[in-house]
Amino acid sequence: MRNNLARFLLALSILCLSVGAAVVRAQRIKPSAAQDIITKFRIQPKSGGPLFVTVNGTEKQIAKEALEAWIIEGGHKLAYTTSEAPGQMGAGGTLVVFDAHTNQHKKLVTSEDDLVSVKEARSGDGKTVLLLETSNAEVCAPTIGVIDPTRGEVFSETPAQLLSIKGDIMILGYFKEAEWGKNCESKKMKPYKTKSFSLSALLKRRTVRTTQ
């Protein structure tokens, strides 16, 4: 009887120690899960200059030159554009992603056209997709690029415009040359046809344009 009681008490002690250790590990892990989140950014001056981000309440400079920026992946990363001629627009540029956890920058695409905007989307299998719009300064012909933030550009269409994203499906509009002038004047263009694309399928393609 005493031996059985001793075994029971020993097993109970081991169980308590295991539970206690698990709680301690959970307490140590929990704070780190909330770390390295970008809550805001600023470019000074706004027309183009040094890029600052606020991570966990602390602001720091991460780039000497940026034109625009977008917080993506719930604040874990920041996408931003730089100009090939610092401080100038219309001179081409590069799309870069900054990882707040690793503190590293990854150049994704370099273009001779103006980098107009970046939109974040989610593929059907839950992966992040960046949709980059560029525009030729001379003819104002828009181009839509689909960017895998881990590899680079996997798809590009021109002249095309992003009309909508419905779940995994991206719908692009295509335009005739007569409509390009409206784009220069920021007027609404009328597509002569549309096409639908699966984002998850596009992400499986090889990169078509990337930079190191």
Side-chain angles (χ1 to χ4, degrees):
M1 179 67 71
R2 291 181 179 178
N3 290 338
N4 291 338
L5 180 60
R7 292 193 188 97
F8 173 75
L9 293 175
L10 178 60
L12 183 61
S13 299
I14 293 174
L15 178 62
C16 291
L17 289 173
S18 299
V19 172
V23 171
V24 170
R25 285 197 298 270
Q27 290 175 340
R28 290 175 179 174
I29 293 173
K30 186 176 181 180
S32 64
Q35 292 177 359
D36 306 323
I37 297 297
I38 301 169
T39 54
K40 60 182 178 179
F41 67 86
R42 66 183 177 94
I43 299 173
Q44 190 64 37
K46 292 181 179 181
S47 58
L51 172 60
F52 300 84
V53 297
T54 299
V55 180
N56 304 330
T58 301
E59 185 180 73
K60 62 180 180 179
Q61 181 179 337
I62 63 167
K64 294 181 179 179
E65 188 79 22
L67 294 176
E68 293 190 67
W70 301 264
I71 295 175
I72 63 173
E73 296 190 14
H76 291 285
K77 296 180 181 180
L78 181 86
Y80 66 94
T81 58
T82 65
S83 174
E84 295 305 286
Q88 298 181 22
M89 295 291 289
T94 299
L95 174 65
V96 186
V97 166
F98 169 73
D99 189 316
H101 178 66
T102 63
N103 205 40
Q104 293 183 343
H105 303 252
K106 183 176 181 60
K107 293 181 180 180
L108 295 176
V109 174
T110 295
S111 173
E112 295 180 355
D113 295 334
D114 296 345
L115 306 186
V116 178
S117 67
V118 172
K119 291 182 174 63
E120 181 183 15
R122 192 75 61 179
S123 67
D125 49 6
K127 296 180 180 179
T128 299
V129 185
L130 298 181
L131 305 175
L132 171 66
E133 179 183 346
T134 62
S135 181
N136 186 295
E138 294 181 358
V139 297
C140 294
T143 298
I144 297 298
V146 176
I147 314 296
D148 180 340
T150 65
R151 297 187 296 130
E153 188 173 51
V154 295
F155 173 83
S156 178
E157 286 283 85
T158 187
Q161 188 177 60
L162 177 65
L163 298 181
S164 65
I165 299 175
K166 299 178 180 179
D168 184 61
I169 302 301
M170 173 182 69
I171 301 177
L172 297 183
Y174 294 81
F175 306 88
K176 295 182 178 179
E177 187 173 354
E179 294 291 303
W180 297 351
K182 294 181 180 180
N183 193 44
C184 289
E185 301 173 4
S186 299
K187 295 181 179 179
K188 187 176 181 179
M189 297 184 295
K190 183 179 180 180
Y192 70 91
K193 70 175 181 178
T194 63
K195 285 185 180 180
S196 299
F197 300 88
S198 165
L199 294 176
S200 56
L202 293 178
L203 285 180
K204 295 177 182 178
R205 296 187 178 188
R206 294 180 179 180
T207 56
V208 295
R209 180 174 58 175
T210 186
T211 184
Q212 299 297 326

